[in-house]
Amino acid sequence: MSKIVILSAQLKSPYIMNDLLQQVSREYSEIITFFQEKFRYVDVITECADKTLNRLAEQNGIRRDSKIEDYNGNSSGSFNNQPILGSLKTNALPKGMGVIVDAQGKIIFVGDNYQSGWKTEIGRLQKLFTDAFIAETTLAILSIIGYGAKISSQVVDGKPAYQVEGVKL
């Protein structure tokens, strides 16, 4: 059995899917036509973003919600007429950071950053989301091309680090 570990990709959704597919396509050029013609990037990006929200909510001190609040405490499940896929809340950011996947597959983070502490926490959550999202997207692509794949994580310097391994089935 062979193993493949993809270590890096850029998170510029939906370009992350193309970046990862290009890395994988070197070995699997015969399936790239399928991806170029029939693959629905937005659906996979949305599913990976949803799994990322769930993965982060498993971490101590982070909880998942469906809404965000503004400075005045008004709650909303959408922003600029786009539904919020989910939000992440912490004690340092009780109003939450929302995650939206738009019609083109672009991931948008929304939240009230009125207080400087909130802005810092939004930045931290965005970084955590980006790292976990890359792992989830890599896992999805490996699964699509016929690998039995899994994500493992460990804490390095107080932050989660992810590794995705796949074994050709």
Side-chain angles (χ1 to χ4, degrees):
M1 293 200 279
S2 61
K3 270 188 177 180
I4 181 172
V5 179
I6 298 175
L7 299 174
S8 65
Q10 294 182 3
L11 179 67
K12 293 182 182 175
S13 294
Y15 302 111
I16 185 172
M17 299 302 284
N18 287 325
D19 290 347
L20 291 170
L21 284 171
Q22 285 175 5
Q23 290 180 35
V24 173
S25 70
R26 292 182 191 113
E27 283 188 54
Y28 301 98
S29 59
E30 69 277 1
I31 64 170
I32 292 306
T33 302
F34 163 79
F35 287 109
Q36 291 171 337
E37 294 175 1
K38 300 177 184 174
F39 191 65
R40 295 182 48 93
Y41 292 99
V42 176
D43 294 344
V44 175
I45 289 169
T46 301
E47 181 180 338
C48 291
D50 187 55
K51 288 180 178 181
T52 299
L53 289 166
N54 289 336
R55 180 174 295 281
L56 292 176
E58 294 172 358
Q59 294 183 24
N60 198 13
I62 300 176
R63 48 196 188 282
R64 182 178 179 169
D65 201 333
S66 59
K67 299 181 180 198
I68 58 172
E69 295 178 29
D70 65 15
Y71 182 78
N72 297 315
N74 298 318
S75 180
S76 179
S78 65
F79 182 80
N80 288 342
N81 296 318
Q82 296 186 65
I84 293 173
L85 180 64
S87 66
L88 298 172
K89 296 183 176 183
T90 65
N91 289 340
L93 188 67
K95 300 196 181 287
M97 178 192 76
V99 176
I100 295 170
V101 180
D102 74 7
Q104 291 75 41
K106 181 179 176 185
I107 293 177
I108 303 165
F109 300 105
V110 295
D112 189 341
N113 63 4
Y114 179 75
Q115 295 184 6
S116 63
W118 294 351
K119 189 173 188 172
T120 301
E121 185 67 354
I122 286 172
R124 184 182 81 86
L125 290 174
Q126 285 176 341
K127 171 75 170 110
L128 290 173
F129 184 94
T130 300
D131 292 345
F133 180 77
I134 290 170
E136 290 292 347
T137 306
T138 305
L139 177 71
I141 290 173
L142 289 174
S143 297
I144 289 167
I145 64 171
Y147 276 75
K150 68 176 184 171
I151 297 174
S152 59
S153 64
Q154 60 184 0
V155 176
V156 177
D157 296 329
K159 299 173 188 167
Y162 302 98
Q163 180 172 342
V164 181
E165 293 183 350
V167 177
K168 185 69 174 166
L169 299 176

